[in-house]
Amino acid sequence: MGPPSSSGFYVSRAVALLLAALAAALLLALAVLAALYGRCARVQPSDLHHSGVPDAASSPRGTQEEPLPTWPPRPTREPAGTATPGHWRPPGPWDQLRLPPWLVPLHYELELWPRLRPNEFQSPTLSFTGRVNITVRCNAATARLLLHSLFLDCESAEVRGPLSSGPRDGALGRVPVDDVWFAFDMQYMVLELGATLQPGSRYELQLSFSGLVYRDLREGLFFSIYTDQGERRALLASQMEPTFARSVFPCFDEPALKATFNITIIHHPSYGALSNMPKLGQSEKRDVNGSVWTVTTFSTTPHMPTYLVALAICDYDHVSRTERGQEIRIWARKDAIANGNAAFALNITGPIFSFLEDLFNISYPLPKTDIIALPTFDNSAMENWGLLIFDESLLLMQPNDQVTDKKAVISFILSHEIGHQWFGNLVTMNWWNDIWLKEGFASYFEFGVINYFNPKFRRNEVFFSNILHHVLSEDHALVSRAVSLKVENFTETSEINELFDLFTYNKGASLARMLSSFLNENVFISALKSYLKTFSYSNAEQDDLWRHFQMVVDDQSKILLPAPVKSIMDRWTHQSGFPVITLNVSTGAMKQEPFYLGKVQNQTLLTHNDTWIVPILWIKNGITQSLVWLDKSSKIFPEMQVSDSDHDWVILNLNMTGYYRVNYDKVGWKKLKQQLEKDPKAIPVIHRLQMIDDAFSLSKNNYVEIETALDLTKYLAEEDEIIVWYAVLVNLVTKDLVFDVNNYDMYPLLKKYLLKRLISIWNMYSTVIRENVAALQDDYLALVALEKLFETACWLGLEDCLQLSRELFKNWTNHPENEIPYPIKSVVLCYGVAFGSDEEWDFLLNMYSNKTKEEERIQLTYAMSCSKDPWILHRYLEYAVTAAPFTFNETNIMEVVAESEVGRYIVKDFLINNWQAVSERYGTQSLVNLMYIIGRTISTDLQITELQQFFGNMLEEHQKLTVRAKLQTIKNKNLENKKRNARMTAWLRKNT
């Protein structure tokens, strides 16, 4: 008898052989079906109607309202497998990720007909039909056509031409289409022709197709259900970026293959339709059942890539205004429009457009801009030309959003998406490997836009908080992800989706900011104007950008660079990681080295031979100095030497505009520590922030001793900038420290040390919370940092914090209309539950059941995990796993509860008898995650073995092979932390 399978059943050899035979037969049947599916039904071409596309009624699927086939399935982002054509095909261009250069699209006539009807949206899918006529230019003789198509049924395929250069001629010849098949691995439709297309000639591909629209998939076409005016309603929208247009219509789905589009949408008369361009006209048509549908046509778009095609079908209201002759409309649920929730976004959208038009001296080319707020939109926002799509939580203001960072968030995201109208829409990257050319610059200009409208906006500190801090925490020399990648490194479509990450956005923005800082803003903007003007309605690569920067640099004499712009910047965009710059203030010697996670261990694993050409902007004794360059591994700068005077100090990386961390020798750090203790305000806020963040990061990764970082905190009683306190607290009061009971010896020392210094800033903000919490509305940095301050003060047992938390929680439970201030709401809810009984817990459960906004429901689910009563937490787990009486679908309750010190023991006990139910509810991967959470404090091999034995029957075989290595990593990390904490404890004893 063999070992048990993952399901817990034993399988005999005879049964196994029988199952194998059945599986083989099933695979054979699927292959036959795939071959049948891969063939395209040929129908006779029909007359063209007003849009220039064959009429939908002519296709069998267009005339019958029969259910569409649901194969191939579409449960995930990528196709589940590869469908082979009717006979074996040798390797060919369909095996390559990039389209062959045989054809170039010039124009699309696209018609889409989704079968969305009011009150008929209970099914998880809807059918749609469509036709597209694509005018193409042939660049190379070919009898085979490739274009992208995914999850679409082909109804007919014809090729007309060659086309004349004059008026359309209905008697044009047709090129025979002998076969149509699909190469699913690379998502191609392949047309085998009976004649060869001639180079230089134009042809028209006429394709009819059908497919499915999925509920809430957020890829290609999707529909959503929402509530408005007390009724359940549905809308349909699109998300084509990066490669989902091919699941909506057959197309040449690459960013460089720009074309114009005439779009027609057929929709139910009770809905309105939106697309990239203004509405051109409307008519009616009847289906075979006599039902009337509205046909809405739209004006021709500018040249644009397929990923910018957009449409929406909805029953929404809108508000509008005109900016420089351009109509701007914001569409949202009727309730939201009636309540004025779109007013803030509407009022800032036009001025943002005008600011960027003036900045780049290029007018926005479309006659209108529609912005639609979807009830939920996983992509946050999308910059489609003329039809921007947002998640409503990131566009609409609610009445209770007054003391939140909501206005800033809306401003940031609107600025980002409007910035894309120039970076991305007007000038598009040639391919996805240079996606940072649009995302990095759109992210960078968010801050320029907001700073223009809010001159008091603290641009450097907010850039650090929003952008730089996060990416520096993740980037390092061993990470495999550079900002700009080589095209040949891509082999699968899924790799394109993975590019929308922290490095593309945050590192891209940081490098744009560094470039601006060493050139100056005027040269920077002049180069971008030249770049945008030259490549308008076209495509560009990274080298094109550098070429225009070099042209502007060469045309002036003030800015002198040590190397061409390309040589400087390529090292930053093509190399992973960033340098650590170390200055010896006694000698003026400066060196650079790659930043590693754990310097000593990792240096033996990889030699990073490349260096960066590093711009060094710096200050000495508070005075800005001239830019210097570190263009080799080490260099001497005599001007950076400091004397023995207490007033002599140096800080590198002015305003943190350089993408690197800074280290000093012991004398350099000592000088800065002394200055902080003597007169901290002599050092700008951004550099107090920088020193804390750099020192703790460098100490964590073995570049400096932890005592060096701790020494910088002695002055904190005089620190009144909450963002600096935030940097201190996120580095000192970590989750590992809070939840590990083995840190009992450090806690009283840390409590005494921090409370002595924290009381001043606590008094400042607790007074604001009690007396005038609305004053926080315009203090973005306080809104970002206040939660950590409040959380730490209560964790340290500051009685005033605990009392304020009790007051706010009690006032809210007695009068729910008295909202807890948003920045500290999560902390107040948690302490209210932690110090309460089942009465308080049940109150939150009742509030959860009455909330509809996902954000609020998630906040309540986390708060309910703060209870310290084992029976309450056990009941919580029962509710979550059985999904009764509440579903708790917003997050994994098992993992949430396991994060707390009490909760992890309750979860472990609960798993003994309920692990199968947990696996069914949350999946087997959740059991692995729980294993890591429960074992997050392990520090011995015995603990690893015990944990593996406990989870032994719960995990699948392949999971068992990987978890031990992960647990070893956790153990090693904890042992390092243990050593670090011992040194911190010793330092605290000495300095408390």
Side-chain angles (χ1 to χ4, degrees), residues 321-333:
R321 63 175 284 175
T322 300
E323 180 83 11
R324 295 182 175 179
Q326 175 206 147
E327 184 181 25
I328 297 170
R329 300 183 296 184
I330 295 185
W331 298 80
R333 292 176 295 105

Side-chain angles (χ1 to χ4, degrees), residues 8 127 194 224 251 255 285 604 777 791 819 881 990:
S127 64
S224 297
C251 57
K285 69 178 302 176
T604 62
Q777 176 60 53
E791 176 187 67
E819 286 283 348
V881 170
K990 183 178 177 182

Side-chain angles (χ1 to χ4, degrees), residues 387-538:
L387 179 55
L388 287 71
I389 298 179
F390 277 67
D391 186 296
E392 69 172 30
S393 67
L394 302 174
L395 187 70
L396 306 181
M397 288 287 294
Q398 304 294 333
N400 59 354
D401 286 335
Q402 293 309 307
V403 189
T404 70
D405 60 355
K406 192 66 166 290
K407 281 188 176 180
V409 169
I410 293 172
S411 300
F412 278 125
I413 297 179
L414 266 172
S415 298
H416 182 99
E417 303 307 329
I418 295 172
H420 274 312
Q421 309 308 302
W422 287 265
F423 294 97
N425 298 7
L426 186 66
V427 178
T428 310
M429 66 278 158
N430 198 50
W431 204 66
W432 299 105
N433 62 308
D434 276 333
I435 191 177
W436 86 275
L437 293 178
K438 79 181 186 78
E439 297 298 349
F441 280 89
S443 298
Y444 170 73
F445 278 106
E446 293 174 27
F447 297 86
V449 170
I450 294 178
N451 191 60
Y452 176 80
F453 292 109
N454 302 278
K456 294 182 180 179
F457 179 76
R458 299 172 67 174
R459 184 173 180 174
N460 291 323
E461 289 82 2
V462 176
F463 189 92
F464 171 82
S465 173
N466 287 16
I467 301 290
L468 194 56
H469 169 73
H470 300 292
V471 70
L472 286 178
S473 299
E474 296 294 328
D475 203 5
H476 57 90
L478 295 183
V479 76
S480 59
R481 172 79 164 87
V483 168
S484 180
L485 302 169
K486 294 181 179 179
V487 176
E488 55 266 27
N489 290 349
F490 293 82
T491 58
E492 297 182 5
T493 305
S494 60
E495 294 170 339
I496 298 172
N497 301 327
E498 294 166 3
L499 294 176
F500 292 81
D501 64 6
L502 192 70
F503 300 106
T504 290
Y505 289 78
N506 291 31
K507 188 171 183 177
S510 299
L511 295 183
R513 181 169 177 255
M514 182 174 70
L515 179 60
S516 172
S517 71
F518 71 71
L519 290 180
N520 81 38
E521 191 74 3
N522 289 334
V523 171
F524 181 74
I525 295 299
S526 294
L528 289 179
K529 286 180 179 178
S530 174
Y531 165 78
L532 291 171
K533 182 178 180 181
T534 300
F535 295 100
S536 290
Y537 307 103
S538 185

Side-chain angles (χ1 to χ4, degrees), residues 292-350:
V292 176
W293 294 79
T294 300
V295 180
T296 301
T297 59
F298 298 89
S299 300
T300 306
T301 71
H303 278 86
M304 66 182 198
T306 48
Y307 81 81
L308 291 178
V309 170
L311 66 138
I313 299 174
C314 60
D315 181 18
Y316 266 12
D317 274 350
H318 70 273
V319 289
S320 65
R321 63 175 284 175
T322 300
E323 180 83 11
R324 295 182 175 179
Q326 175 206 147
E327 184 181 25
I328 297 170
R329 300 183 296 184
I330 295 185
W331 298 80
R333 292 176 295 105
K334 295 180 178 181
D335 282 342
I337 295 296
N339 293 333
N341 298 348
F344 175 74
L346 181 67
N347 289 335
I348 66 172
T349 296

Side-chain angles (χ1 to χ4, degrees), residues 707-724:
E707 292 82 357
T708 299
L710 292 170
D711 282 343
L712 297 177
T713 67
K714 290 181 178 179
Y715 86 100
L716 283 172
E718 305 301 319
E719 181 58 75
D720 58 2
E721 291 288 345
I722 193 170
I723 193 63
V724 179

